[in-house]
C-alpha cells in the first residue's frame, strides 16, 4: 500500500511536469529541454529556503514562481531572433548551465552530494508528514493545475498559441504580438515545473543534481509526445504509462544492473517510434512536428 | 504636405546587391482597388513585405492614415488596419475553419490571459459575438458546413476563399492580396472576385498582385506595372495594357 | 601558460573535427543529427571488443571498429531518417528523434560493456613530449595532426569532387543538386559512411587520451554543435570558431576551475545567440 501511494505521488509529480511542458511544447510548439532545470531550481530553492530561513510554503512558492518566470522570460528573448531548432539549443545550454551550477557550486548547493534532511512541508498549520497526506497534497495540486490548464486551453489565448505553433509569420500578420504570448506561456510552464520541484524536494527530503539532467528533460518530453502533445489528457496518460511501465518491468525481474539502462532504451525507442510514426501521440490530434500539409 | 490615405515615398530595398525596390512611390485612396503587375522578381512581394512590416526598407517612407509605418513591427501594422494574404497561401491547417476565422478578429479580450482568468464574462461575450459573426460570414460564402472541419480538409480554392474571409473579418481597411485567385477554378474565382469588388463600398482599399490580366481588368480601378523594383507605369488597366514598355516586357 | 596554448590546440582539434562532421551531415539531411554522439562512443567500444578482447592486431582492429561504427550509423540513417521524405518531418522532429537514438545507443553500450569508466590504453604509460614548457602526449599530437588531415580531406572532397559539389548544393538548391549528374541519395549515403568512419576514429583517438565512459558522446557533440552554430557555414569559420571556443574554455578552466568548462562553453553559445541581429521572418520569397 505504501508502495502504491509512492507510485501515485510520483505519477502526480510527473503529471504536473508533463502538463506544464505541454503548455510550452504542445500548444506553443516551443521544444524545451530545460524543463528539468526549472524543476530542479524549484526543488533547490525550496530546500535551501526552508533549511536556511525556515520560510513558509507560500513564500517559497512565490519565490520559485518569480525566479522561474524571470528566467523563462530571459530565455525567450533570443527565440524571437532564431528558428525553433536554435531555441532548443538555447534551452539545452540553460539546462547544462543549471545542472553544472547545482553540481559545482558546492558552498551553496552541496554539489554532487546534494541536500539532505529537507523538512516536510507545512501549510499554515498542517504539517504534512505521512505519505497519505502527501498524496492528498499532490492530488490537490494536480487538480488545481488541471483547472488552470483547462482555462488556458479553452481560451482565445490558446488559439493564438496554436497559430504560433504552426505559422509565426501568419500570427504576426493577424496582429498578434507573438513574443508576449511566448513569454507568458513559457513563464507559466516553467513556474509550474518549479512547483513540481518543491513538491518533490519535500517528499523525498533529499535532492541531488542527478535528478535534474538533460535526460530527465527528455524523459518529460517523451511523456508529452507519447501521451499526445497539444491534448488535454495526453500528458496525464503519458505520465501514468511511462512511470508505471518500468515498475512492471521490475516485477518481471530484470537484473537491477541493467534495469536502469533498459528503462532508458525503452524511453528512447518509444520516443523515436512516436515521433517518426505517430507524432500525434496516443490520444492527441495534433500531428506534431510535421510540416504543413497543403 | 497633404498626405493621401496611403502614401509610399521613395522606397528602396536591396538584398546583397540585388535591387528589390528602387525609388518606389505611389499612393492610394480609400475605396480603391489597385493592381500590381510585373514579371517575376519585379519586387511585388517585396513591396508587400515592406508594407506589412516584415522587411524594413533601406530608405523611404510609408504613411498610412497619417501614421508612419516605416520600422514598425508587423503585428503593430496589422493592428493599425492592414491585412494580407500570401502567395503561398498561409493558414493554420491543423485547426478548424472556424478557428482560423476567429483568430483573425482584432482586439479580442480573451487573448489576454489576465482577462481570461479575471474577466471571464467579458471574454465569453466577445467570443460569442465573434463566433456569430464568423458563422454569418461563412453562411454568406457557402462554407458554413465546413465550419468545424480541419482547414487542411478544404480544397485549394476554398482555402484561398477562407484566407480572404479572414482578412475581411479582421476589420482591416487596407487589404494586400497576393495572387488571390491564382490556380483555382473559374467558379471560385468568380466568387472571390465578387467579394473583392464589393470592398470599396465598405470603404476598404485593396492592392492586388496578379498575373492574370483579365482579373486585373475586371477588378482594378488602377494598375501599376513594376519591373526590377521600379514603377514603370501607372494608369487604368487599358492604359497600362497598351503601354509599349509593358508590352515589350511581356514579350521578353 | 604554454600548457593552455597546447590544451587549446588539442581540444580545438576535437571540436573542429566534430563540428565539421556535423556540418557535413547537416548539409546532407538538413538537421542536427545527435546520434553522431553515439557513433563517437561506439568507435572506442568497438576497439575495446576487437583489440582488447579479441586481441586482433591494432591495424585491423582499427579498421573493423571504424567500419562497424560507420555501418551502424548508416543503418540508423537507412532505418529511420531516410524513411521520411525531406519535407514531411520538420528538422525539429528529426533532431529530437536523433536524441532518442543516441539514448538507445548509449544504453546498449552500457548494457554490453557496463557503466563504469574503462580504459583502452595499453599498459605502458604514454610518455609526453615537452614542448616549450608544456606537456604533449603522442596521442594528443596524433589528435592535432588528425584534425589537420581531416580538414584537408574535407576541403578536397567538397571542392574537387562531384560528391562534394552535390553536397554543397543540396542545402542551397535541392532541384539543382538533383540535376548534377550524381545521385543525391548516393551523396547522402557516402556522407554518412564517411563521417561515421572519421568520427568513430576520432572517438578512438579521444579514448586513447582520456578514459571512456558510455555517456561521453553527448558532451563532445554539444561542443561540435556550439562550434557549428557560432562558426556558421564555412569550413574556415568552423575552424576559427573551434579555436576560439577551445581557447575560451581552457583559459576559463585555468582561472575558475575545469569543472566549469561546460558552463563556459554554453554561456558563450547563449551569449552568441542573444547577440544575434533580429532575423527577418521568412516571408521573403
Amino acid at each position: 500500500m505504501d508502495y502504491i501511494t509512492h507510485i501515485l505521488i510520483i505519477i502526480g509529480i510527473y503529471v504536473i511536469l508533463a502538463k506544464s511542458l505541454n503548455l510550452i511544447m504542445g500548444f506553443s510548439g516551443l521544444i524545451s529541454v530545460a524543463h528539468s532545470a526549472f524543476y530542479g531550481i524549484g526543488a533547490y530553492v525550496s530546500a535551501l529556503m526552508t533549511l536556511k530561513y525556515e520560510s513558509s510554503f507560500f513564500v517559497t512558492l512565490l519565490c520559485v514562481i518569480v525566479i522561474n518566470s524571470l528566467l523563462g522570460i530571459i530565455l525567450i528573448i533570443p527565440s524571437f531572433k532564431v528558428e525553433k531548432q536554435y531555441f532548443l539549443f538555447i534551452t539545452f545550454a540553460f539546462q547544462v548551465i543549471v545542472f553544472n551550477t547545482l553540481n559545482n557550486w558546492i558552498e551553496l548547493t552541496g554539489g554532487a552530494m546534494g541536500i539532505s534532511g529537507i523538512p516536510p512541508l507545512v501549510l499554515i498549520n498542517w504539517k504534512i508528514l505521512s505519505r497519505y497526506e502527501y498524496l492528498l497534497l499532490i492530488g490537490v495540486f494536480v487538480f488545481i493545475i488541471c483547472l488552470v490548464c483547462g482555462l488556458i486551453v479553452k481560451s482565445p489565448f490558446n488559439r493564438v498559441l496554436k497559430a504560433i505553433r504552426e505559422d509565426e509569420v501568419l500570427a504576426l500578420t493577424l496582429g498578434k504580438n507573438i513574443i508576449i504570448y511566448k513569454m507568458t506561456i513559457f513563464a507559466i510552464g516553467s513556474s509550474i515545473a518549479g512547483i513540481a520541484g518543491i513538491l518533490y524536494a519535500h517528499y523525498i527530503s533529499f535532492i541531488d543534481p542527478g535528478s535534474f539532467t538533460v535526460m530527465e528533460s527528455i524523459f518529460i518530453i517523451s511523456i508529452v509526445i507519447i501521451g499526445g502533445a497539444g491534448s488535454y489528457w495526453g500528458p496525464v496518460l503519458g505520465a501514468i504509462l511511462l512511470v508505471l511501465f518500468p515498475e512492471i518491468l521490475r516485477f518481471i525481474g530484470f537484473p537491477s544492473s541493467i534495469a536502469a539502462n533498459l528503462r532508458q532504451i525503452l524511453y528512447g525507442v518509444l520516443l523515436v517510434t512516436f515521433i517518426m510514426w505517430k507524432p500525434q501521440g496516443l490520444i492527441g490530434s495534433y500531428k506534431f512536428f510535421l510540416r504543413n500539409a497543403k | 504636405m497633404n498626405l493621401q490615405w496611403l502614401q509610399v515615398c521613395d522606397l528602396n530595398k536591396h538584398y546583397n546587391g540585388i535591387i528589390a525596390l528602387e525609388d518606389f512611390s505611389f499612393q492610394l485612396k480609400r475605396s480603391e482597388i489597385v493592381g500590381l503587375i510585373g514579371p517575376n522578381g519585379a519586387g511585388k512581394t517585396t513591396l508587400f513585405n515592406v508594407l506589412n512590416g516584415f522587411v524594413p526598407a533601406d530608405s523611404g517612407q510609408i504613411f498610412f492614415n497619417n501614421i508612419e509605418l516605416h520600422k514598425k513591427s508587423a503585428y503593430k501594422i496589422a493592428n493599425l488596419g492592414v491585412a494580407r494574404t500570401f502567395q503561398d497561401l498561409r493558414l493554420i491547417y491543423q485547426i478548424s475553419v472556424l478557428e482560423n476565422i476567429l483568430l483573425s478578429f482584432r482586439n479580442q479580450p480573451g487573448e489576454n490571459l489576465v482577462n481570461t482568468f479575471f474577466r471571464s464574462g467579458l471574454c465569453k461575450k466577445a467570443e460569442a459575438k465573434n463566433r456569430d459573426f464568423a458563422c454569418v460570414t461563412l453562411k454568406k460564402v457557402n462554407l458554413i458546413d465546413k465550419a468545424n472541419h480541419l482547414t487542411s480538409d478544404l480544397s485549394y480554392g476554398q482555402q484561398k476563399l477562407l484566407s480572404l474571409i479572414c482578412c475581411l473579418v479582421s476589420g482591416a481597411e487596407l487589404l494586400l492580396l497576393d495572387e488571390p485567385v491564382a490556380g483555382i477554378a473559374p467558379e471560385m474565382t468568380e466568387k472571390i472576385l465578387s467579394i473583392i469588388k464589393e470592398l470599396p463600398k465598405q470603404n476598404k482599399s485593396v492592392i492586388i498582385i496578379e498575373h492574370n490580366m483579365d482579373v486585373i481588368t475586371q477588378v482594378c480601378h488602377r494598375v501599376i506595372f513594376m519591373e526590377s523594383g521600379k514603377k514603370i507605369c501607372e494608369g487604368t488597366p487599358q492604359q497600362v495594357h497598351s503601354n509599349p514598355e509593358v508590352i515589350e516586357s511581356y514579350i521578353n | 601558460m604554454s600548457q593552455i596554448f597546447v590544451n587549446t590546440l588539442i581540444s580545438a582539434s576535437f571540436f573542429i573535427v566534430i563540428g565539421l562532421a556535423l556540418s557535413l551531415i547537416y548539409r546532407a539531411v538538413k538537421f542536427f543529427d545527435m546520434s553522431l554522439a553515439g557513433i563517437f562512443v561506439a568507435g572506442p567500444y568497438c576497439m575495446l571488443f576487437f583489440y582488447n578482447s579479441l586481441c586482433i592486431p591494432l591495424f585491423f582492429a582499427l579498421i573493423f571498429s571504424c567500419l562497424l561504427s560507420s555501418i551502424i550509423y548508416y543503418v540508423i540513417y537507412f532505418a529511420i531518417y531516410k524513411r521520411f521524405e525531406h519535407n514531411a518531418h520538420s528538422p525539429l522532429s528529426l533532431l529530437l528523434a536523433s536524441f532518442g537514438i543516441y539514448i538507445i545507443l548509449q544504453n546498449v553500450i552500457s548494457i554490453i560493456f557496463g557503466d563504469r569508466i574503462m580504459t583502452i590504453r595499453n599498459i605502458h604509460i604514454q610518455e609526453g613530449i615537452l614542448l616549450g614548457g608544456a606537456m604533449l602526449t603522442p596521442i594528443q599530437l596524433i589528435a592535432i595532426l588528425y584534425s589537420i588531415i581531416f580538414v584537408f580531406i574535407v576541403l578536397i572532397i567538397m571542392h574537387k569532387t562531384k560528391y562534394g559539389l552535390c553536397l554543397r548544393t543540396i542545402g542551397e538548391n535541392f532541384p539543382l543538386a538533383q540535376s548534377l549528374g550524381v545521385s543525391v541519395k548516393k551523396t547522402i549515403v557516402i556522407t554518412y559512411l564517411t563521417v561515421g568512419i572519421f568520427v568513430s576514429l576520432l572517438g578512438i583517438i579521444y579514448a586513447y587520451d582520456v578514459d571512456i565512459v558510455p555517456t561521453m558522446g553527448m558532451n563532445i557533440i554539444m561542443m561540435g554543435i556550439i562550434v557549428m552554430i557560432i562558426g556558421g557555414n564555412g569550413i574556415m569559420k568552423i575552424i576559427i570558431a573551434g579555436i576560439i571556443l577551445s581557447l575560451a574554455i581552457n583559459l576559463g578552466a585555468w582561472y575558475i576551475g575545469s569543472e566549469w568548462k561546460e558552463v563556459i562553453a554554453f554561456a558563450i553559445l547563449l551569449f552568441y545567440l542573444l547577440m544575434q541581429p533580429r532575423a527577418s521572418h521568412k516571408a521573403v520569397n
Side-chain angles (χ1 to χ4, degrees):
Chain A
M1 203 52 213
D2 241 12
Y3 174 70
I4 296 183
T5 319
H6 168 76
I7 292 292
L8 284 175
I9 291 176
I10 299 294
I11 290 180
I13 290 180
Y14 277 104
V15 166
I16 297 176
L17 284 168
K19 270 211 157 271
S20 49
L21 185 61
N22 192 27
L23 287 176
I24 295 173
M25 219 174 88
F27 290 111
S28 322
L30 296 166
I31 307 221
S32 160
V33 285
H35 218 59
S36 118
F38 289 110
Y39 177 39
I41 292 175
Y44 268 84
V45 166
S46 181
L48 289 170
M49 283 183 72
T50 327
L51 279 172
K52 289 198 180 158
Y53 307 117
E54 290 174 21
S55 50
S56 76
F57 176 62
F58 295 105
V59 173
T60 23
L61 194 63
L62 196 62
C63 276
V64 166
I65 291 178
V66 168
I67 293 176
N68 279 2
S69 301
L70 280 175
L71 287 171
I73 289 175
I74 293 175
L75 280 187
I76 287 283
I77 293 176
S79 89
F80 193 45
K81 304 173 183 176
V82 297
E83 298 170 29
K84 292 206 172 107
Q85 299 179 71
Y86 293 90
F87 180 67
L88 191 146
F89 291 124
I90 292 175
T91 59
F92 194 104
F94 180 71
Q95 167 70 52
V96 171
I97 291 177
V98 167
F99 172 77
N100 274 295
T101 312
L102 293 177
N103 208 24
N104 295 329
W105 195 353
I106 302 180
E107 301 83 30
L108 182 70
T109 65
M113 291 284 103
I115 300 178
S116 52
I118 303 174
L121 281 174
V122 181
L123 256 69
I124 311 176
N125 277 326
W126 176 30
K127 200 171 193 183
I128 301 170
L129 282 169
S130 79
R131 204 164 281 209
Y132 299 106
E133 290 175 330
Y134 223 93
L135 184 59
L136 183 59
L137 180 69
I138 299 261
V140 167
F141 268 95
V142 169
F143 182 69
I144 295 177
I145 285 168
C146 282
L147 272 182
V148 167
C149 288
L151 264 178
I152 295 179
V153 165
K154 286 188 228 146
S155 68
F157 178 85
N158 193 42
R159 201 162 47 214
V160 179
L161 289 181
K162 288 198 270 188
I164 292 175
R165 167 180 78 182
E166 197 171 319
D167 194 338
E168 283 187 21
V169 167
L170 184 58
L172 283 171
T173 313
L174 294 171
K176 320 296 179 195
N177 186 0
I178 57 182
I179 202 164
I180 297 287
Y181 287 91
K182 286 186 184 178
M183 282 186 182
T184 312
I185 204 65
F186 202 68
I188 294 177
S190 313
S191 305
I192 298 179
I195 295 177
I198 301 178
L199 294 170
Y200 176 75
H202 292 271
Y203 171 61
I204 304 276
S205 78
F206 162 73
I207 52 175
D208 71 324
S211 311
F212 309 114
T213 59
V214 176
M215 287 305 149
E216 182 71 14
S217 284
I218 295 186
F219 175 60
I220 306 173
I221 292 178
S222 306
I223 293 181
V224 173
I225 291 179
I226 292 168
S231 83
Y232 184 74
W233 291 111
V236 178
L237 181 62
I240 296 176
L241 284 178
L242 283 192
V243 172
L244 277 184
F245 207 101
E247 300 296 322
I248 299 176
L249 277 186
R250 199 197 293 187
F251 277 116
I252 300 181
F254 277 103
S256 60
S257 59
I258 65 169
N261 296 120
L262 269 180
R263 188 200 278 163
Q264 296 259 24
I265 293 181
L266 173 72
Y267 296 146
V269 169
L270 283 174
L271 181 64
V272 176
T273 313
F274 271 86
I275 290 179
M276 302 307 276
W277 281 278
K278 208 174 193 309
Q280 66 270 41
L282 287 168
I283 60 177
S285 54
Y286 175 62
K287 289 217 172 74
F288 211 98
F289 309 118
L290 293 186
R291 295 200 205 239
N292 292 340
K294 284 201 187 172
Chain B
M1 183 167 99
N2 206 2
L3 287 174
Q4 290 289 330
W5 184 60
L6 175 69
Q7 184 104 25
V8 174
C9 307
D10 298 320
L11 283 182
N12 279 291
K13 178 71 192 172
H14 73 94
Y15 294 106
N16 288 333
I18 301 177
I19 297 178
L21 289 174
E22 193 175 330
D23 294 329
F24 194 89
S25 305
F26 79 102
Q27 48 206 44
L28 192 66
K29 292 200 278 274
R30 277 186 193 271
S31 307
E32 249 200 300
I33 302 182
V34 171
L36 196 58
I37 61 174
N40 281 329
K44 310 188 290 292
T45 305
T46 309
L47 178 65
F48 271 20
N49 285 338
V50 171
L51 286 174
N52 211 180
F54 280 124
V55 164
D58 297 330
S59 66
Q61 291 165 308
I62 306 172
F63 290 99
F64 178 60
N65 248 336
N66 289 320
I67 303 172
E68 160 89 81
L69 287 190
H70 191 214
K71 295 242 169 88
K72 273 207 163 40
S73 38
Y75 79 94
K76 282 200 189 133
I77 294 180
N79 283 322
L80 286 172
V82 179
R84 177 197 173 156
T85 65
F86 293 86
Q87 192 178 17
D88 52 350
L89 187 56
R90 287 177 184 259
L91 285 168
I92 308 297
Y93 292 95
Q94 297 215 36
I95 59 177
S96 72
V97 169
L98 186 59
E99 282 185 289
N100 264 294
I101 299 185
L102 288 171
L103 260 180
S104 310
F105 287 97
R106 307 280 196 252
N107 297 322
Q108 300 181 46
E111 284 179 354
N112 184 329
L113 261 189
V114 175
N115 288 336
T116 307
F117 282 107
F118 299 114
R119 298 166 78 183
S120 58
L122 174 68
C123 295
K124 287 203 181 106
K125 256 198 240 164
E127 179 75 359
K129 189 171 138 215
N130 288 343
R131 205 168 269 262
D132 286 337
F133 187 76
C135 289
V136 163
T137 316
L138 281 174
K139 273 200 200 119
K140 267 198 231 163
V141 295
N142 282 334
L143 272 183
I144 189 67
D145 49 337
K146 303 272 188 197
N148 291 317
H149 287 218
L150 270 185
T151 308
S152 49
D153 289 340
L154 260 56
S155 71
Y156 186 65
Q158 288 171 324
Q159 288 172 348
K160 284 223 144 153
L161 177 61
L162 178 61
S163 70
L164 178 61
I165 294 176
C166 288
C167 288
L168 296 181
V169 142
S170 71
E173 296 169 327
L174 173 62
L175 277 75
L176 307 173
L177 304 178
D178 203 334
E179 301 196 28
V181 292
I184 58 180
E187 269 179 46
M188 189 58 84
T189 306
E190 274 311 303
K191 216 190 234 181
I192 292 181
L193 290 182
S194 64
I195 296 176
I196 298 178
K197 279 192 264 200
E198 293 296 303
L199 292 175
K201 296 193 188 132
Q202 300 162 26
N203 245 341
K204 301 193 203 229
S205 290
V206 184
I207 306 179
I208 301 187
I209 295 179
E210 253 301 333
H211 286 279
N212 186 334
M213 273 312 282
D214 288 331
V215 167
I216 296 280
T217 326
Q218 243 190 79
V219 159
C220 302
H221 303 133
R222 224 187 341 137
V223 176
I224 296 175
F225 179 80
M226 273 181 86
E227 194 175 6
S228 304
K230 294 197 275 281
K231 179 165 77 172
I232 306 291
C233 75
E234 186 177 353
T236 67
Q238 287 75 15
Q239 287 171 337
V240 171
H241 203 187
S242 45
N243 182 303
E245 281 184 76
V246 173
I247 297 176
E248 205 182 310
S249 161
Y250 273 116
I251 295 177
N252 290 341
Chain C
M1 211 52 199
S2 54
Q3 186 67 50
I4 297 183
F5 175 68
V6 165
N7 288 348
T8 303
L9 274 182
I10 301 169
S11 332
S13 307
F14 287 108
F15 297 168
I16 290 170
V17 174
I18 293 277
L20 268 181
L22 275 168
S23 78
L24 289 174
I25 296 286
Y26 188 83
R27 279 181 203 256
V29 289
K30 290 189 280 207
F31 75 99
F32 292 96
D33 187 354
M34 290 285 146
S35 54
L36 191 57
I39 305 303
F40 179 79
V41 184
Y45 277 96
C46 287
M47 273 301 275
L48 203 64
F49 176 64
F50 288 122
Y51 185 58
N52 299 46
S53 300
L54 292 186
C55 295
I56 299 177
L58 182 71
F59 181 66
F60 290 107
L62 275 173
I63 294 185
F64 289 164
S65 304
C66 293
L67 271 179
L68 182 57
S69 306
S70 171
I71 290 173
I72 294 175
Y73 197 37
Y74 173 68
V75 166
I76 293 173
Y77 166 70
F78 186 75
I80 305 187
Y81 304 140
K82 189 182 178 189
R83 288 192 174 276
F84 301 90
E85 309 226 11
H86 268 284
N87 292 324
H89 271 264
S90 67
L92 207 45
S93 68
L94 293 168
L95 169 56
L96 256 190
S98 71
F99 265 111
I101 294 172
Y102 164 74
I103 293 176
I104 298 174
L105 277 174
Q106 183 243 294
N107 281 285
V108 165
I109 291 177
S110 286
I111 290 184
I112 301 178
F113 294 95
D115 269 325
R116 304 171 344 255
I117 301 177
M118 302 188 111
T119 180
I120 66 173
R121 284 179 282 205
N122 288 334
I123 316 142
H124 60 267
I125 304 169
Q126 304 252 311
E127 286 273 334
I129 320 167
L130 262 181
L131 208 67
M135 281 293 271
L136 180 72
T137 65
I139 194 66
Q140 291 170 337
L141 184 61
I142 292 179
I144 298 176
L145 290 172
Y146 180 72
S147 68
I148 298 175
I149 295 175
F150 182 64
V151 167
F152 270 111
I153 293 180
V154 169
L155 276 169
I156 293 175
I157 295 184
M158 287 298 267
H159 290 273
K160 302 280 184 193
T161 70
K162 40 189 168 90
Y163 292 113
L165 183 62
C166 185
L167 191 61
R168 277 186 290 144
T169 349
I170 290 179
E172 314 295 320
N173 190 338
F174 193 67
L176 179 62
Q178 282 172 314
S179 64
L180 278 175
V182 163
S183 145
V184 168
K185 283 187 193 165
K186 234 188 186 181
T187 307
I188 298 180
V189 169
I190 291 180
T191 309
Y192 260 84
L193 286 172
T194 322
V195 167
I197 292 179
F198 279 103
V199 169
S200 56
L201 190 53
L202 184 77
I204 295 172
I205 295 176
Y206 185 82
Y208 270 97
D209 184 32
V210 171
D211 294 322
I212 52 173
V213 70
T215 51
M216 71 192 200
M218 186 52 74
N219 291 340
I220 304 283
I221 282 284
M222 281 317 298
M223 296 301 135
I225 299 258
I226 297 177
V227 163
M228 241 192 97
I229 293 180
I230 297 183
N233 229 358
I235 296 177
M236 278 305 139
K237 288 188 195 164
I238 290 182
I239 295 176
I240 296 175
I243 295 177
I244 294 179
L245 183 69
S246 176
L247 186 63
I249 290 179
N250 281 295
L251 269 178
W254 185 265
Y255 287 112
I256 60 176
S258 61
E259 70 268 21
W260 296 102
K261 274 187 180 175
E262 278 196 319
V263 173
I264 297 170
F266 283 103
I268 292 176
L269 177 67
L270 267 182
F271 188 71
Y272 174 79
L273 286 170
L274 269 158
M275 290 293 121
Q276 284 296 294
R278 202 154 164 214
S280 52
H281 283 266
K282 291 188 186 152
V284 192
N285 285 345

